[in-house]
Amino acid sequence: MNKLTKLLDERGKIKKVGVIGMGYVGIPSAVLFAEHFDHVIGFQRDSPSSGHKIAMLNNGESPLKGEEPGLEELIKKVTRAGKFEATSDFSRIGEVDAVTLAIQTPFKDNVSLEPDFGALEEGIRQAGKYLKKGMLVVLESTITPGTTKGFAANILNEESGLVAGEDYALAHAPERVMVGRLIRNIQEHDRIVGGINEASTKRAVELYKPVLTKGKIIAMDSTAAEVTKTAENTFRDLQIAAINELALYCEAMRINVYDVRDGIDSLKGEGITRAVLYPGAGVGGHCLTKDTYHLERGARMAGELDFPCNVESLYVVARKINDFMPQHMYYLTVEALSRIGKKLRGSRVTILGWAFLNNSDDTRNTPAQAYYDMVTGQGAKVCVHDPYVENTGNIKITHELSEAVKDAAVVVIFTGHKQYFDLDAQKIKKLTCLDHPVIIDGRNVIDPDAFIKEGFVYKGIGRGDKNHHEIS
Ligand code: SAJ
């Protein structure tokens, strides 16, 4: 029997669990662990921006924004039962049998594409400082493949004087949560669990199995788990880029991409798959915009990559196509304005939708920002409307649609919020006080003919069949 297995057997079953990082991943996973294990401690830095979460959680309240079905009740239940507590005293990590780290790994900037592991490193150091023999450490954050076995193990060993995989178990179990269904996702999605060795994987499975309802455990090596998480988002980004590129082709060939999409999608049958997604004004969010670069770094850092020379990564090209879409929206705007003898300078542009996702208030990495910067850079006066989003950064956001489109030369739809499917062409035209206002549909939400009939200059992503219409 190897050393780690012996130490784990001596420690016995997992009874106490620690979760570092009381965010939208750490909180639901902590309270779900509290339902199945004797006691859970949620660790949170007492920082100006997040320290308040500790008191809220200990009062049985959720510090997370937005609707999260079942979360607040569960926090109340386990707190009242004395099975969950939050603290900023990291020395108590020494009390638990297993500790997970759910800490964000943003990119420093969108140029260098270097991830900022600062917060994660601090969490790993804290875990290492109080690490004891026979404990389990699990990284849940999305990380560059190779991080668990390399960067994380090295820091934990350095801080604890112990050896990963021999004195303590170490694994990666990537989160697959989505805002609005945090509890359900953790219980129902299959859970990838990857240890740095067999004994670590086995121990990590013991931690996650009780929490799953519909989901199954999928056990593998820690690096395979890191690649799975980053690749599942890379593949979605790739699928979106494929249909975005097809949309650009269809515009050039003056056909309707949605006819082609329906055609392709009609190919069904045994073993036939065509994941044809939807073209749009761009790809935003926290996952698809960064996970490709984690995967790329991991593969390139491995050092043994055999890849065709002078050929760029397919995945990075996909990122560039998706990031081109806001620029294409800009080109459509300039072209449409030129048809009515106008330029962006001095024109009023109304952006409908700032959130990156339909019917949500999540604005992280919204593609509308790139468009906003381009048109304001050309001297346009921009008004932003979004029913779900409050003012964010230096962007003032109105919830009044009529006010937003008043005197607009251009109305551009960036998010497929349900309110925009009912835009009334006559009403909007009147509010613009122009004979031929411009409307650019980035999410295929309006009927082109209804607006063209009213005198609009219409442009739509992928709508090569309509983008050169006669102005009525
Ligand atoms: N988008 C398109 N066309 C599409 C689908 C999406 O342009 O056909 C755009 C959206 O407008 C948005 C961006 O892509 O700007 C991302 O959309 P998303 O639906 O992928 O939403 P995310 O970024 O929240 O992705 C999450 C991920 N979940 C986790 O990381 C746990 C992703 O793995 C899921 O596949 C995705 O939700 C999902 O399917 O809902």
Side-chain angles (χ1 to χ4, degrees):
M1 178 189 285
N2 75 20
K3 184 179 173 187
L4 179 57
T5 306
K6 206 162 153 297
L7 285 168
L8 294 170
D9 285 355
E10 280 161 13
R11 185 176 275 265
K13 288 211 154 307
I14 295 173
K15 290 178 274 310
K16 285 185 87 169
V17 180
V19 176
I20 301 178
M22 290 291 99
Y24 76 95
V25 176
I27 292 172
S29 66
V31 293
L32 282 169
F33 283 139
E35 276 212 302
H36 300 279
F37 294 96
D38 294 0
H39 193 69
V40 176
I41 305 174
F43 294 95
Q44 175 57 50
R45 284 184 308 184
D46 196 2
S47 63
S49 59
S50 303
H52 68 281
K53 296 178 185 175
I54 298 168
M56 285 185 80
L57 287 164
N58 288 330
N59 283 336
E61 294 159 44
S62 167
L64 299 181
K65 287 189 314 175
E67 270 303 299
E68 286 300 344
L71 181 63
E72 189 128 73
E73 300 89 277
L74 190 49
I75 296 171
K76 273 188 181 41
K77 181 181 148 198
V78 294
T79 313
R80 285 199 185 127
K83 297 195 72 185
F84 170 68
E85 60 181 303
T87 179
S88 59
D89 176 4
F90 281 76
S91 69
R92 297 190 56 198
I93 290 174
E95 296 172 24
V96 302
D97 302 310
V99 59
T100 67
L101 290 89
I103 298 169
Q104 277 219 23
T105 52
F107 272 86
K108 286 192 185 99
D109 57 60
N110 285 339
V111 179
S112 70
L113 297 170
E114 281 297 313
D116 177 357
F117 279 172
L120 179 64
E121 179 175 346
E122 190 191 328
I124 297 172
R125 283 199 184 285
Q126 292 282 17
K129 248 159 78 183
Y130 305 103
L131 193 56
K132 296 230 173 31
K133 286 192 173 186
M135 270 174 71
L136 163 67
V137 180
V138 186
L139 301 183
E140 291 199 355
S141 315
T142 303
I143 45 184
T144 303
T147 300
T148 304
K149 277 186 179 157
F151 177 79
N154 297 340
I155 293 172
L156 290 164
N157 292 351
E158 182 193 318
E159 290 290 340
S160 64
L162 301 176
V163 178
E166 288 180 29
D167 298 314
Y168 64 92
L170 177 58
H172 176 56
E175 50 80 13
R176 282 174 156 175
V177 297
M178 274 172 248
V179 168
R181 36 191 163 154
L182 298 176
I183 292 279
R184 214 182 84 210
N185 275 17
I186 293 176
Q187 293 176 315
E188 296 183 2
H189 273 322
D190 290 349
R191 191 76 194 233
I192 310 293
V193 177
I196 62 167
N197 58 12
E198 280 291 305
S200 298
T201 303
K202 191 163 166 286
R203 190 65 165 178
V205 169
E206 188 191 323
L207 176 65
Y208 287 97
K209 206 173 173 71
V211 168
L212 299 183
T213 52
K214 276 199 211 137
K216 292 188 313 304
I217 291 279
I218 302 181
M220 58 183 75
D221 165 80
S222 61
T223 306
E226 291 161 336
V227 174
T228 300
K229 172 64 190 177
T230 48
E232 70 191 19
N233 285 335
T234 299
F235 273 48
R236 183 165 171 82
D237 196 54
L238 188 59
Q239 288 165 342
I240 297 168
I243 189 70
N244 277 337
E245 180 167 346
L246 191 62
L248 298 173
Y249 286 13
C250 288
E251 284 183 39
M253 294 185 273
R254 303 211 172 182
I255 54 173
N256 180 354
V257 71
Y258 293 93
D259 292 342
V260 175
R261 185 190 180 286
D262 291 346
I264 296 171
D265 205 34
S266 71
L267 184 61
K268 301 244 190 295
E270 197 53 35
I272 296 179
T273 57
R274 291 289 184 281
V276 184
L277 292 177
Y278 295 88
V283 170
H286 184 62
C287 313
L288 275 58
T289 54
K290 67 176 182 49
D291 288 2
T292 295
Y293 296 114
H294 277 303
L295 179 59
E296 284 300 306
R297 287 182 76 243
R300 309 278 161 178
M301 275 159 56
E304 294 160 13
L305 181 60
D306 179 24
F307 195 78
C309 52
N310 304 327
V311 172
E312 201 177 354
S313 151
L314 173 66
Y315 305 145
V316 171
V317 168
R319 284 276 63 239
K320 289 180 178 172
I321 290 169
N322 288 336
D323 283 351
F324 172 73
M325 298 316 281
Q327 207 171 318
H328 182 58
M329 291 287 283
Y330 167 78
Y331 293 146
L332 289 175
T333 306
V334 170
E335 212 279 320
L337 280 171
S338 70
R339 296 192 68 191
I340 50 172
K342 278 179 174 285
K343 290 202 177 314
L344 275 166
R345 186 160 302 287
S347 296
R348 185 180 160 114
V349 174
T350 296
I351 295 176
L352 300 185
W354 194 255
F356 85 89
L357 211 53
N358 303 348
N359 310 319
S360 106
D361 66 354
D362 198 335
T363 62
R364 287 174 294 179
N365 300 309
T366 178
Q369 181 73 58
Y371 177 85
Y372 177 93
D373 295 343
M374 282 183 264
V375 294
T376 47
Q378 291 300 315
K381 291 191 298 303
V382 180
C383 171
V384 180
H385 173 273
D386 191 308
Y388 299 91
V389 179
E390 304 305 327
N391 294 346
T392 164
N394 63 344
I395 308 285
K396 229 172 83 39
I397 302 208
T398 175
H399 295 166
E400 282 304 313
L401 188 58
S402 308
E403 176 210 316
V405 296
K406 205 166 161 342
D407 304 326
V410 182
V411 175
V412 55
I413 300 161
F414 252 88
T415 316
H417 289 325
K418 55 183 185 299
Q419 290 85 332
Y420 300 146
F421 283 77
D422 313 323
L423 289 178
D424 178 308
Q426 253 180 2
K427 208 169 143 239
I428 304 276
K429 167 89 182 303
K430 213 153 150 277
L431 285 161
T432 64
C433 305
L434 282 177
D435 293 337
H436 302 295
V438 168
I439 188 151
I440 315 278
D441 187 356
R443 296 289 174 192
N444 190 39
V445 297
I446 62 168
D447 166 16
D449 294 330
F451 283 78
I452 292 168
K453 194 163 64 60
E454 280 305 316
F456 279 80
V457 178
Y458 167 90
K459 295 278 183 189
I461 295 274
R463 293 306 304 262
D465 59 324
K466 296 288 178 189
N467 285 352
H468 303 274
H469 65 82
E470 290 300 312
I471 299 178
S472 44

